[in-house]
Structures are given as C-alpha cells and as structure tokens.
Amino acid sequence: KLSTHTKLTFRPTPGINIRYSLMYDRSLDKNYSHSYKYNPDGIPKQYSWSLNNIFDFTHQISASTFYTFKFSYYKNDFKSYLYEDWNDPRYLPNILSNTPGNEFYGGGMDRGHAYRKFQTTIGRFDITSQLNRTHLVKAGMEFKHHNLFYHAYSVDIRDTYDWIPTIHDLSSTSHDRYQRYPIEFAAYVQ
C-alpha cells in the first residue's frame, strides 16, 4: 500500500489564503474467503488507486466577514480479478468449484471480474458574517457532478460451450454493466 498527502498554503496578502491538497492512495489487496481456506490461490486480487485534489480560496473582506470558494476533484479506480485477461488459459472449468453443502473448495477458482471507476467534481461557495456579538449569518451553495462506472462478469467454462471460456451477454445474471452521471446541488442560509 502506498499513501501520500501533500499540502501547500500561500498567503499573497493578509486577508487571502490559498490552499491546495493532493492525496494519492494505491493498494493491492486480497479478501479472505472461508470457502477457499484450503485453496487461497483461487481468490482474486483487488487493485485500487485514488487521487483527490482540493483547492481552497478564502478571502477575508472585513474583520467580521469572509467567503470561501472550494473546488475538489476525486477519482477512484478499482479492479478485481484472478487473471487480467478473461481468456487466460489458467482459468479452470466451473465444475472444479462445485462443492456439496458446506464444504471447502479443494480446487477451482473465483472467475469473477469487477471494475469500478468513479469521479466526483465539487464546487462550493460559502460566505460568513458576524453581524453582532450574538448573530452569525452563513450562506452557501454546492454543486457535485459524478461519473460512475461499473462492470462485472464471470468467466463461464463448461462442456456446454466446448470448454471455451465464455462471457455471457448483459441479459445474464452473471454480467452487469452501467455508467451514470448524477448531479447534486444544494444551497443554504442560516
């Protein structure tokens, strides 16, 4: 696992603060599955990395009022598979992963592939003013745009397909894929 965090701060004038943060994370993991207790090599590895950029601009207009503009961009990429190529000859037939009842897998492997990617862009503006000793007023708005991608399937190897690795079409329960672009907006006054 590798994680880094960098932060830069710049104050060009006494009332202005500019900050930039960069966070990066990369990992290679493997989940535990009790079914594969005696066959741990049949469990897929999980590869992931993420990157987060944050820009923050704060301007103090007066002794009692300031505003902040924030912008961030977050990206995450996740992959899970035993072998990167779904057509890899090391994949074993489905029949080797069949066990009756509550038994451990003595052979076979998880032939699933999963890919997830998402990106989030956020823009935010806030203004705060201390009107007097007891009254503080805040207002702001935030906009978020997401890009979500998911693709998962299982490699099917059986006699029905002449032992040729097969990925079923999207109408199958063993194959799922989607991409969405949700947008969020919020505003407040308090």
Side-chain angles (χ1 to χ4, degrees), residues 108-148:
M109 56 188 52
D110 183 334
R111 290 170 311 286
H113 281 238
Y115 303 88
R116 290 190 309 257
K117 294 181 183 182
F118 61 88
Q119 301 170 15
T120 299
T121 304
I122 302 172
R124 180 179 177 121
F125 176 80
D126 296 293
I127 187 163
T128 304
S129 185
Q130 184 75 46
L131 298 179
N132 54 43
R133 291 180 53 161
T134 57
H135 293 95
L136 176 74
V137 176
K138 290 184 176 184
M141 63 181 78
E142 181 178 76
F143 173 81
K144 292 182 183 180
H145 179 261
H146 308 279
N147 180 349
L148 309 172

mmCIF file of all heavy atoms in Angstrom, residues 108-148:
data_model
loop_
_atom_site.group_PDB
_atom_site.id
_atom_site.type_symbol
_atom_site.label_atom_id
_atom_site.label_comp_id
_atom_site.label_asym_id
_atom_site.label_seq_id
_atom_site.Cartn_x
_atom_site.Cartn_y
_atom_site.Cartn_z
ATOM 1 N N GLY A 108 -10.372 -25.351 -8.057
ATOM 2 C CA GLY A 108 -11.136 -24.322 -8.739
ATOM 3 C C GLY A 108 -10.714 -22.921 -8.337
ATOM 4 O O GLY A 108 -9.708 -22.724 -7.667
ATOM 5 N N MET A 109 -11.508 -21.966 -8.762
ATOM 6 C CA MET A 109 -11.159 -20.571 -8.520
ATOM 7 C C MET A 109 -12.361 -19.671 -8.746
ATOM 8 O O MET A 109 -13.334 -20.076 -9.377
ATOM 9 C CB MET A 109 -10.027 -20.149 -9.453
ATOM 10 C CG MET A 109 -10.360 -20.369 -10.916
ATOM 11 S SD MET A 109 -8.998 -20.116 -12.058
ATOM 12 C CE MET A 109 -7.720 -21.099 -11.398
ATOM 13 N N ASP A 110 -12.269 -18.481 -8.221
ATOM 14 C CA ASP A 110 -13.268 -17.449 -8.468
ATOM 15 C C ASP A 110 -12.935 -16.822 -9.818
ATOM 16 O O ASP A 110 -11.884 -16.213 -9.987
ATOM 17 C CB ASP A 110 -13.220 -16.401 -7.347
ATOM 18 C CG ASP A 110 -14.284 -15.337 -7.486
ATOM 19 O OD1 ASP A 110 -14.747 -15.079 -8.613
ATOM 20 O OD2 ASP A 110 -14.638 -14.745 -6.453
ATOM 21 N N ARG A 111 -13.837 -16.970 -10.784
ATOM 22 C CA ARG A 111 -13.581 -16.472 -12.141
ATOM 23 C C ARG A 111 -14.236 -15.114 -12.393
ATOM 24 O O ARG A 111 -14.422 -14.690 -13.518
ATOM 25 C CB ARG A 111 -14.083 -17.505 -13.159
ATOM 26 C CG ARG A 111 -13.233 -18.773 -13.175
ATOM 27 C CD ARG A 111 -13.856 -19.883 -13.997
ATOM 28 N NE ARG A 111 -15.255 -20.134 -13.695
ATOM 29 C CZ ARG A 111 -15.705 -20.745 -12.594
ATOM 30 N NH1 ARG A 111 -14.869 -21.168 -11.695
ATOM 31 N NH2 ARG A 111 -16.997 -20.909 -12.403
ATOM 32 N N GLY A 112 -14.591 -14.425 -11.313
ATOM 33 C CA GLY A 112 -15.251 -13.131 -11.451
ATOM 34 C C GLY A 112 -14.273 -11.994 -11.750
ATOM 35 O O GLY A 112 -13.144 -11.990 -11.280
ATOM 36 N N HIS A 113 -14.744 -11.068 -12.540
ATOM 37 C CA HIS A 113 -14.019 -9.827 -12.837
ATOM 38 C C HIS A 113 -14.915 -8.671 -12.419
ATOM 39 O O HIS A 113 -16.109 -8.686 -12.719
ATOM 40 C CB HIS A 113 -13.733 -9.692 -14.336
ATOM 41 C CG HIS A 113 -12.588 -10.511 -14.809
ATOM 42 N ND1 HIS A 113 -11.496 -9.957 -15.421
ATOM 43 C CD2 HIS A 113 -12.352 -11.848 -14.762
ATOM 44 C CE1 HIS A 113 -10.642 -10.911 -15.741
ATOM 45 N NE2 HIS A 113 -11.157 -12.073 -15.352
ATOM 46 N N ALA A 114 -14.355 -7.672 -11.765
ATOM 47 C CA ALA A 114 -15.131 -6.489 -11.384
ATOM 48 C C ALA A 114 -14.279 -5.245 -11.621
ATOM 49 O O ALA A 114 -13.090 -5.224 -11.303
ATOM 50 C CB ALA A 114 -15.555 -6.562 -9.925
ATOM 51 N N TYR A 115 -14.910 -4.226 -12.188
ATOM 52 C CA TYR A 115 -14.239 -2.954 -12.474
ATOM 53 C C TYR A 115 -15.160 -1.827 -12.030
ATOM 54 O O TYR A 115 -16.323 -1.786 -12.426
ATOM 55 C CB TYR A 115 -13.961 -2.818 -13.975
ATOM 56 C CG TYR A 115 -13.128 -3.952 -14.533
ATOM 57 C CD1 TYR A 115 -13.734 -5.108 -15.003
ATOM 58 C CD2 TYR A 115 -11.746 -3.862 -14.554
ATOM 59 C CE1 TYR A 115 -12.981 -6.156 -15.495
ATOM 60 C CE2 TYR A 115 -10.978 -4.905 -15.053
ATOM 61 C CZ TYR A 115 -11.604 -6.052 -15.525
ATOM 62 O OH TYR A 115 -10.843 -7.094 -15.999
ATOM 63 N N ARG A 116 -14.646 -0.935 -11.203
ATOM 64 C CA ARG A 116 -15.415 0.234 -10.758
ATOM 65 C C ARG A 116 -14.535 1.463 -10.919
ATOM 66 O O ARG A 116 -13.384 1.470 -10.484
ATOM 67 C CB ARG A 116 -15.818 0.099 -9.289
ATOM 68 C CG ARG A 116 -16.834 -0.936 -9.007
ATOM 69 C CD ARG A 116 -17.356 -0.851 -7.587
ATOM 70 N NE ARG A 116 -16.320 -0.807 -6.585
ATOM 71 C CZ ARG A 116 -15.955 -1.839 -5.809
ATOM 72 N NH1 ARG A 116 -16.564 -2.993 -5.934
ATOM 73 N NH2 ARG A 116 -15.013 -1.713 -4.917
ATOM 74 N N LYS A 117 -15.110 2.478 -11.498
ATOM 75 C CA LYS A 117 -14.422 3.767 -11.616
ATOM 76 C C LYS A 117 -15.421 4.842 -11.255
ATOM 77 O O LYS A 117 -16.577 4.769 -11.672
ATOM 78 C CB LYS A 117 -13.933 4.014 -13.044
ATOM 79 C CG LYS A 117 -12.866 3.079 -13.511
ATOM 80 C CD LYS A 117 -12.441 3.421 -14.925
ATOM 81 C CE LYS A 117 -11.416 2.422 -15.414
ATOM 82 N NZ LYS A 117 -10.924 2.729 -16.745
ATOM 83 N N PHE A 118 -14.974 5.809 -10.494
ATOM 84 C CA PHE A 118 -15.845 6.954 -10.290
ATOM 85 C C PHE A 118 -15.025 8.214 -10.128
ATOM 86 O O PHE A 118 -13.889 8.188 -9.664
ATOM 87 C CB PHE A 118 -16.847 6.757 -9.153
ATOM 88 C CG PHE A 118 -16.262 6.537 -7.788
ATOM 89 C CD1 PHE A 118 -15.953 7.597 -6.959
ATOM 90 C CD2 PHE A 118 -16.048 5.255 -7.332
ATOM 91 C CE1 PHE A 118 -15.437 7.382 -5.699
ATOM 92 C CE2 PHE A 118 -15.539 5.031 -6.074
ATOM 93 C CZ PHE A 118 -15.228 6.094 -5.253
ATOM 94 N N GLN A 119 -15.630 9.291 -10.578
ATOM 95 C CA GLN A 119 -15.027 10.618 -10.498
ATOM 96 C C GLN A 119 -16.079 11.553 -9.918
ATOM 97 O O GLN A 119 -17.244 11.471 -10.290
ATOM 98 C CB GLN A 119 -14.617 11.119 -11.880
ATOM 99 C CG GLN A 119 -13.633 10.251 -12.592
ATOM 100 C CD GLN A 119 -13.439 10.669 -14.037
ATOM 101 O OE1 GLN A 119 -13.821 11.758 -14.448
ATOM 102 N NE2 GLN A 119 -12.861 9.798 -14.827
ATOM 103 N N THR A 120 -15.635 12.416 -9.025
ATOM 104 C CA THR A 120 -16.539 13.404 -8.444
ATOM 105 C C THR A 120 -15.878 14.761 -8.502
ATOM 106 O O THR A 120 -14.739 14.923 -8.063
ATOM 107 C CB THR A 120 -16.883 13.054 -6.985
ATOM 108 O OG1 THR A 120 -17.528 11.778 -6.956
ATOM 109 C CG2 THR A 120 -17.810 14.088 -6.374
ATOM 110 N N THR A 121 -16.589 15.737 -9.049
ATOM 111 C CA THR A 121 -16.131 17.120 -9.097
ATOM 112 C C THR A 121 -17.074 17.927 -8.212
ATOM 113 O O THR A 121 -18.294 17.833 -8.358
ATOM 114 C CB THR A 121 -16.164 17.659 -10.538
ATOM 115 O OG1 THR A 121 -15.384 16.787 -11.362
ATOM 116 C CG2 THR A 121 -15.614 19.061 -10.617
ATOM 117 N N ILE A 122 -16.497 18.720 -7.305
ATOM 118 C CA ILE A 122 -17.303 19.502 -6.359
ATOM 119 C C ILE A 122 -16.866 20.955 -6.396
ATOM 120 O O ILE A 122 -15.671 21.253 -6.336
ATOM 121 C CB ILE A 122 -17.157 18.979 -4.914
ATOM 122 C CG1 ILE A 122 -17.553 17.508 -4.825
ATOM 123 C CG2 ILE A 122 -17.982 19.813 -3.942
ATOM 124 C CD1 ILE A 122 -17.261 16.873 -3.482
ATOM 125 N N GLY A 123 -17.814 21.851 -6.484
ATOM 126 C CA GLY A 123 -17.584 23.284 -6.345
ATOM 127 C C GLY A 123 -18.453 23.800 -5.205
ATOM 128 O O GLY A 123 -19.631 23.450 -5.121
ATOM 129 N N ARG A 124 -17.868 24.592 -4.334
ATOM 130 C CA ARG A 124 -18.623 25.075 -3.170
ATOM 131 C C ARG A 124 -18.247 26.525 -2.876
ATOM 132 O O ARG A 124 -17.077 26.900 -2.952
ATOM 133 C CB ARG A 124 -18.317 24.200 -1.963
ATOM 134 C CG ARG A 124 -19.057 24.616 -0.718
ATOM 135 C CD ARG A 124 -18.728 23.707 0.443
ATOM 136 N NE ARG A 124 -19.398 24.179 1.628
ATOM 137 C CZ ARG A 124 -20.259 23.484 2.320
ATOM 138 N NH1 ARG A 124 -20.569 22.257 1.948
ATOM 139 N NH2 ARG A 124 -20.828 23.983 3.393
ATOM 140 N N PHE A 125 -19.269 27.330 -2.518
ATOM 141 C CA PHE A 125 -19.051 28.718 -2.129
ATOM 142 C C PHE A 125 -19.787 28.962 -0.813
ATOM 143 O O PHE A 125 -20.955 28.595 -0.670
ATOM 144 C CB PHE A 125 -19.589 29.680 -3.197
ATOM 145 C CG PHE A 125 -19.482 31.115 -2.796
ATOM 146 C CD1 PHE A 125 -18.281 31.794 -2.906
ATOM 147 C CD2 PHE A 125 -20.584 31.790 -2.286
ATOM 148 C CE1 PHE A 125 -18.183 33.119 -2.520
ATOM 149 C CE2 PHE A 125 -20.489 33.114 -1.895
ATOM 150 C CZ PHE A 125 -19.285 33.783 -2.015
ATOM 151 N N ASP A 126 -19.092 29.558 0.162
ATOM 152 C CA ASP A 126 -19.685 29.890 1.460
ATOM 153 C C ASP A 126 -19.299 31.319 1.827
ATOM 154 O O ASP A 126 -18.170 31.743 1.575
ATOM 155 C CB ASP A 126 -19.162 28.965 2.572
ATOM 156 C CG ASP A 126 -19.553 27.526 2.368
ATOM 157 O OD1 ASP A 126 -20.751 27.235 2.456
ATOM 158 O OD2 ASP A 126 -18.662 26.693 2.115
ATOM 159 N N ILE A 127 -20.231 32.020 2.453
ATOM 160 C CA ILE A 127 -19.933 33.347 2.992
ATOM 161 C C ILE A 127 -20.432 33.381 4.430
ATOM 162 O O ILE A 127 -21.507 32.851 4.744
ATOM 163 C CB ILE A 127 -20.545 34.489 2.141
ATOM 164 C CG1 ILE A 127 -20.053 35.837 2.650
ATOM 165 C CG2 ILE A 127 -22.047 34.400 2.062
ATOM 166 C CD1 ILE A 127 -20.250 36.986 1.671
ATOM 167 N N THR A 128 -19.625 33.958 5.303
ATOM 168 C CA THR A 128 -19.935 34.020 6.733
ATOM 169 C C THR A 128 -19.734 35.447 7.215
ATOM 170 O O THR A 128 -18.722 36.084 6.877
ATOM 171 C CB THR A 128 -19.020 33.074 7.536
ATOM 172 O OG1 THR A 128 -19.157 31.759 7.013
ATOM 173 C CG2 THR A 128 -19.358 33.083 9.008
ATOM 174 N N SER A 129 -20.677 35.929 8.014
ATOM 175 C CA SER A 129 -20.562 37.282 8.566
ATOM 176 C C SER A 129 -21.070 37.303 10.004
ATOM 177 O O SER A 129 -22.159 36.799 10.295
ATOM 178 C CB SER A 129 -21.363 38.268 7.708
ATOM 179 O OG SER A 129 -21.161 39.589 8.168
ATOM 180 N N GLN A 130 -20.277 37.874 10.862
ATOM 181 C CA GLN A 130 -20.667 38.063 12.268
ATOM 182 C C GLN A 130 -21.326 39.438 12.350
ATOM 183 O O GLN A 130 -20.647 40.461 12.339
ATOM 184 C CB GLN A 130 -19.431 37.998 13.175
ATOM 185 C CG GLN A 130 -19.727 38.081 14.647
ATOM 186 C CD GLN A 130 -20.312 36.787 15.200
ATOM 187 O OE1 GLN A 130 -19.823 35.716 14.925
ATOM 188 N NE2 GLN A 130 -21.376 36.918 15.982
ATOM 189 N N LEU A 131 -22.662 39.466 12.421
ATOM 190 C CA LEU A 131 -23.386 40.735 12.393
ATOM 191 C C LEU A 131 -23.195 41.528 13.686
ATOM 192 O O LEU A 131 -23.045 42.745 13.669
ATOM 193 C CB LEU A 131 -24.868 40.497 12.134
ATOM 194 C CG LEU A 131 -25.207 39.838 10.791
ATOM 195 C CD1 LEU A 131 -26.708 39.624 10.661
ATOM 196 C CD2 LEU A 131 -24.686 40.671 9.633
ATOM 197 N N ASN A 132 -23.267 40.827 14.807
ATOM 198 C CA ASN A 132 -23.014 41.438 16.112
ATOM 199 C C ASN A 132 -22.549 40.326 17.050
ATOM 200 O O ASN A 132 -22.266 39.219 16.599
ATOM 201 C CB ASN A 132 -24.250 42.184 16.646
ATOM 202 C CG ASN A 132 -25.486 41.307 16.690
ATOM 203 O OD1 ASN A 132 -25.416 40.149 17.099
ATOM 204 N ND2 ASN A 132 -26.616 41.848 16.247
ATOM 205 N N ARG A 133 -22.505 40.593 18.355
ATOM 206 C CA ARG A 133 -21.965 39.593 19.289
ATOM 207 C C ARG A 133 -22.780 38.313 19.344
ATOM 208 O O ARG A 133 -22.259 37.255 19.666
ATOM 209 C CB ARG A 133 -21.889 40.195 20.694
ATOM 210 C CG ARG A 133 -20.826 41.269 20.790
ATOM 211 C CD ARG A 133 -20.759 41.846 22.165
ATOM 212 N NE ARG A 133 -20.597 40.763 23.146
ATOM 213 C CZ ARG A 133 -20.153 40.927 24.357
ATOM 214 N NH1 ARG A 133 -19.810 42.120 24.774
ATOM 215 N NH2 ARG A 133 -20.043 39.911 25.177
ATOM 216 N N THR A 134 -24.044 38.367 19.005
ATOM 217 C CA THR A 134 -24.900 37.183 19.123
ATOM 218 C C THR A 134 -25.413 36.637 17.794
ATOM 219 O O THR A 134 -25.965 35.542 17.760
ATOM 220 C CB THR A 134 -26.118 37.488 20.012
ATOM 221 O OG1 THR A 134 -26.823 38.598 19.469
ATOM 222 C CG2 THR A 134 -25.696 37.759 21.432
ATOM 223 N N HIS A 135 -25.255 37.341 16.710
ATOM 224 C CA HIS A 135 -25.817 36.905 15.436
ATOM 225 C C HIS A 135 -24.722 36.659 14.394
ATOM 226 O O HIS A 135 -23.992 37.583 14.016
ATOM 227 C CB HIS A 135 -26.820 37.939 14.903
ATOM 228 C CG HIS A 135 -28.029 38.045 15.757
ATOM 229 N ND1 HIS A 135 -28.154 38.991 16.743
ATOM 230 C CD2 HIS A 135 -29.182 37.325 15.780
ATOM 231 C CE1 HIS A 135 -29.318 38.863 17.338
ATOM 232 N NE2 HIS A 135 -29.962 37.849 16.769
ATOM 233 N N LEU A 136 -24.684 35.415 13.931
ATOM 234 C CA LEU A 136 -23.783 34.998 12.855
ATOM 235 C C LEU A 136 -24.654 34.545 11.686
ATOM 236 O O LEU A 136 -25.588 33.762 11.861
ATOM 237 C CB LEU A 136 -22.892 33.844 13.327
ATOM 238 C CG LEU A 136 -21.957 33.247 12.284
ATOM 239 C CD1 LEU A 136 -20.798 34.208 12.025
ATOM 240 C CD2 LEU A 136 -21.423 31.904 12.756
ATOM 241 N N VAL A 137 -24.356 35.018 10.505
ATOM 242 C CA VAL A 137 -25.117 34.647 9.308
ATOM 243 C C VAL A 137 -24.188 33.898 8.364
ATOM 244 O O VAL A 137 -23.051 34.324 8.133
ATOM 245 C CB VAL A 137 -25.688 35.898 8.603
ATOM 246 C CG1 VAL A 137 -26.377 35.508 7.314
ATOM 247 C CG2 VAL A 137 -26.643 36.631 9.514
ATOM 248 N N LYS A 138 -24.704 32.790 7.823
ATOM 249 C CA LYS A 138 -23.950 31.993 6.853
ATOM 250 C C LYS A 138 -24.848 31.690 5.664
ATOM 251 O O LYS A 138 -26.055 31.485 5.827
ATOM 252 C CB LYS A 138 -23.503 30.661 7.456
ATOM 253 C CG LYS A 138 -22.436 30.743 8.502
ATOM 254 C CD LYS A 138 -22.040 29.333 8.913
ATOM 255 C CE LYS A 138 -20.910 29.353 9.900
ATOM 256 N NZ LYS A 138 -20.460 27.987 10.239
ATOM 257 N N ALA A 139 -24.236 31.630 4.494
ATOM 258 C CA ALA A 139 -24.961 31.235 3.283
ATOM 259 C C ALA A 139 -23.973 30.546 2.359
ATOM 260 O O ALA A 139 -22.763 30.787 2.429
ATOM 261 C CB ALA A 139 -25.579 32.447 2.598
ATOM 262 N N GLY A 140 -24.493 29.671 1.541
ATOM 263 C CA GLY A 140 -23.599 28.976 0.631
ATOM 264 C C GLY A 140 -24.335 28.087 -0.336
ATOM 265 O O GLY A 140 -25.547 27.899 -0.253
ATOM 266 N N MET A 141 -23.563 27.553 -1.272
ATOM 267 C CA MET A 141 -24.113 26.627 -2.256
ATOM 268 C C MET A 141 -23.032 25.634 -2.650
ATOM 269 O O MET A 141 -21.833 25.912 -2.515
ATOM 270 C CB MET A 141 -24.652 27.364 -3.473
ATOM 271 C CG MET A 141 -23.611 28.130 -4.258
ATOM 272 S SD MET A 141 -24.293 29.010 -5.661
ATOM 273 C CE MET A 141 -25.018 30.406 -4.863
ATOM 274 N N GLU A 142 -23.493 24.474 -3.116
ATOM 275 C CA GLU A 142 -22.569 23.416 -3.506
ATOM 276 C C GLU A 142 -23.113 22.696 -4.725
ATOM 277 O O GLU A 142 -24.311 22.442 -4.832
ATOM 278 C CB GLU A 142 -22.373 22.440 -2.350
ATOM 279 C CG GLU A 142 -21.408 21.319 -2.661
ATOM 280 C CD GLU A 142 -21.195 20.404 -1.470
ATOM 281 O OE1 GLU A 142 -22.101 19.584 -1.192
ATOM 282 O OE2 GLU A 142 -20.152 20.528 -0.814
ATOM 283 N N PHE A 143 -22.205 22.348 -5.627
ATOM 284 C CA PHE A 143 -22.552 21.613 -6.839
ATOM 285 C C PHE A 143 -21.645 20.390 -6.923
ATOM 286 O O PHE A 143 -20.434 20.498 -6.722
ATOM 287 C CB PHE A 143 -22.348 22.511 -8.074
ATOM 288 C CG PHE A 143 -22.533 21.790 -9.371
ATOM 289 C CD1 PHE A 143 -23.801 21.570 -9.879
ATOM 290 C CD2 PHE A 143 -21.440 21.326 -10.082
ATOM 291 C CE1 PHE A 143 -23.978 20.897 -11.080
ATOM 292 C CE2 PHE A 143 -21.603 20.657 -11.288
ATOM 293 C CZ PHE A 143 -22.880 20.447 -11.785
ATOM 294 N N LYS A 144 -22.235 19.221 -7.203
ATOM 295 C CA LYS A 144 -21.462 17.990 -7.361
ATOM 296 C C LYS A 144 -21.844 17.312 -8.671
ATOM 297 O O LYS A 144 -23.022 17.214 -9.004
ATOM 298 C CB LYS A 144 -21.743 16.995 -6.228
ATOM 299 C CG LYS A 144 -21.258 17.419 -4.882
ATOM 300 C CD LYS A 144 -21.550 16.327 -3.858
ATOM 301 C CE LYS A 144 -21.139 16.745 -2.474
ATOM 302 N NZ LYS A 144 -21.420 15.682 -1.480
ATOM 303 N N HIS A 145 -20.835 16.851 -9.372
ATOM 304 C CA HIS A 145 -21.054 16.075 -10.595
ATOM 305 C C HIS A 145 -20.283 14.770 -10.466
ATOM 306 O O HIS A 145 -19.092 14.782 -10.175
ATOM 307 C CB HIS A 145 -20.584 16.848 -11.829
ATOM 308 C CG HIS A 145 -20.764 16.079 -13.088
ATOM 309 N ND1 HIS A 145 -19.735 15.398 -13.689
ATOM 310 C CD2 HIS A 145 -21.863 15.871 -13.860
ATOM 311 C CE1 HIS A 145 -20.190 14.801 -14.780
ATOM 312 N NE2 HIS A 145 -21.469 15.067 -14.901
ATOM 313 N N HIS A 146 -20.972 13.652 -10.668
ATOM 314 C CA HIS A 146 -20.353 12.335 -10.534
ATOM 315 C C HIS A 146 -20.329 11.621 -11.883
ATOM 316 O O HIS A 146 -21.209 11.811 -12.709
ATOM 317 C CB HIS A 146 -21.141 11.452 -9.556
ATOM 318 C CG HIS A 146 -21.397 12.087 -8.233
ATOM 319 N ND1 HIS A 146 -20.466 12.115 -7.231
ATOM 320 C CD2 HIS A 146 -22.485 12.720 -7.747
ATOM 321 C CE1 HIS A 146 -20.977 12.722 -6.175
ATOM 322 N NE2 HIS A 146 -22.199 13.108 -6.471
ATOM 323 N N ASN A 147 -19.333 10.792 -12.051
ATOM 324 C CA ASN A 147 -19.251 9.886 -13.193
ATOM 325 C C ASN A 147 -19.013 8.503 -12.601
ATOM 326 O O ASN A 147 -17.935 8.227 -12.079
ATOM 327 C CB ASN A 147 -18.105 10.293 -14.119
ATOM 328 C CG ASN A 147 -17.982 9.391 -15.328
ATOM 329 O OD1 ASN A 147 -18.599 8.332 -15.411
ATOM 330 N ND2 ASN A 147 -17.149 9.801 -16.262
ATOM 331 N N LEU A 148 -20.029 7.636 -12.647
ATOM 332 C CA LEU A 148 -19.962 6.320 -12.017
ATOM 333 C C LEU A 148 -19.964 5.240 -13.085
ATOM 334 O O LEU A 148 -20.834 5.219 -13.961
ATOM 335 C CB LEU A 148 -21.166 6.112 -11.096
ATOM 336 C CG LEU A 148 -21.444 7.211 -10.090
ATOM 337 C CD1 LEU A 148 -22.765 6.975 -9.386
ATOM 338 C CD2 LEU A 148 -20.311 7.314 -9.097
#
